[in-house]
């Protein structure tokens, strides 16, 4: 768990977590398709999204075989069975929910018929299910804690930096979901109106 390659892997996973937290609200808010195997109009970026999911799946497999520091017994746990049980009790559920590609799995069970999926609103559900991947943000705090020890940054500065990142990401999420809600609830959303309509006043 403290090896050089494990630290590099954690940094890589952390970068992809930050990307996911930024990209997923945009994909949901602006209805960007990320199902490369079922949507012929899906952008090439969808392939990259699938590769990221594969990396997080590998991270789950690695976590079943990665030692950890047992604070209760003040020792490094290296017994595979104990490592597996500890991971299942702690991070496994969050990692699994945030990694499963629902936008690929659901169409497989539904036969991939996009027209029928639209009629029963499955497509919207699948897109909204991607918000579950935001749970990856909880794992980012764990990775940041490791980086704090490695880089030797002042704890006060590091806490301030974490709060600043959280505020920026939450603001980003709220803005994207607000855009999505406006487009879903109204047939004529404010952002579709000509600019001069926004400033018109009722003369009566």
């Amino acid at each position: 768990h403290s090896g050089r390659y494990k630290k590099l892997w954690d940094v890589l996973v952390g970068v992809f977590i930050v990307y996911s937290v930024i990209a997923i609200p945009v994909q949901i808010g602006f209805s960007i398709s990320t199902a490369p195997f079922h949507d012929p109009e899906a952008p090439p970026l969808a392939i990259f999204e699938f590769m990221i999911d594969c990396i997080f799946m590998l991270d789950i497999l690695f976590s079943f075989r990665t030692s950890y520091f047992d604070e209760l017994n003040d020792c490094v746990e290296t017994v595979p069975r104990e490592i597996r049980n500890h991971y299942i009790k702690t991070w496994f559920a969050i990692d699994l929910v945030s990694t499963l590609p629902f936008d690929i799995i659901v169409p497989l069970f539904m036969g991939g018929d996009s027209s029928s999926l639209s009629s029963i609103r499955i497509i919207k559900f699948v897109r909204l299910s991607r918000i579950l991947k935001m749970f990856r943000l909880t794992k980012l705090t764990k990775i940041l804690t490791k980086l704090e020890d490695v880089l030797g940054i002042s704890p006060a500065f590091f806490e301030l930096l974490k709060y600043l990142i959280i505020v920026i990401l939450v603001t980003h999420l709220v803005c994207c979901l607000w855009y999505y809600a406006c487009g879903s609830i109204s047939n004529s959303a404010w952002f579709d109106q000509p600019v001069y309509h926004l400033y018109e006043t009722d003369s009566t």
Side-chain angles (χ1 to χ4, degrees):
H1 71 284
S2 59
R4 176 173 177 268
Y5 292 110
K6 182 60 170 63
K7 292 177 181 177
L8 292 175
W9 176 260
D10 287 340
V11 171
L12 177 66
V13 171
V15 170
F16 285 138
I17 289 176
V18 172
Y19 167 80
S20 298
V21 173
I22 294 174
I24 289 172
V26 175
Q27 294 163 1
I28 294 174
F30 296 88
S31 300
I32 299 175
S33 176
T34 55
F37 302 113
H38 302 286
D39 187 355
E41 298 181 356
L45 187 61
I47 305 295
F48 179 66
E49 292 280 341
F50 179 72
M51 292 174 60
I52 291 178
D53 288 335
C54 290
I55 289 176
F56 282 109
M57 290 177 186
L58 282 176
D59 187 59
I60 291 177
L61 296 179
F62 292 160
S63 297
F64 277 110
R65 299 290 297 176
T66 303
S67 63
Y68 69 95
F69 183 76
D70 188 350
E71 296 182 356
L72 183 62
N73 298 316
D74 194 25
C75 67
V76 176
E77 185 61 72
T78 59
V79 179
R81 180 173 58 85
E82 295 297 330
I83 294 173
R84 181 182 65 249
N85 293 339
H86 177 264
Y87 179 58
I88 291 175
K89 293 177 182 177
T90 53
W91 291 98
F92 176 69
I94 294 176
D95 289 348
L96 183 64
V97 170
S98 64
T99 301
L100 286 177
F102 292 102
D103 48 351
I104 295 176
I105 295 174
V106 173
L108 284 176
F109 284 100
M110 299 301 297
D113 186 354
S114 59
S115 60
S116 62
L117 292 178
S118 298
S119 63
I120 58 176
R121 298 183 179 179
I122 294 297
I123 287 180
K124 286 187 177 181
F125 167 77
V126 170
R127 286 174 178 168
L128 286 175
S129 68
R130 290 185 60 80
I131 203 169
L132 294 174
K133 296 181 183 294
M134 297 290 289
F135 281 113
R136 292 172 181 170
L137 188 60
T138 60
K139 193 165 186 176
L140 181 62
T141 58
K142 176 184 176 182
I143 296 175
L144 288 176
T145 302
K146 291 183 179 180
L147 289 178
E148 180 182 6
D149 298 333
V150 173
L151 299 177
I153 300 176
S154 168
F157 174 79
F158 201 79
E159 287 295 321
L160 179 62
L161 183 62
K162 284 197 295 186
Y163 285 125
L164 178 62
I165 293 173
I166 290 173
V167 169
I168 293 174
L169 293 178
V170 169
T171 304
H172 172 67
L173 173 64
V174 170
C175 291
C176 291
L177 292 182
W178 182 263
Y179 185 94
Y180 176 81
C182 291
S184 300
I185 295 174
S186 174
N187 293 327
S188 180
W190 60 268
F191 47 78
D192 288 331
Q193 298 295 323
V195 176
Y196 62 85
H197 281 178
L198 299 177
Y199 297 96
E200 283 183 347
T201 56
D202 189 355
S203 58
T204 60

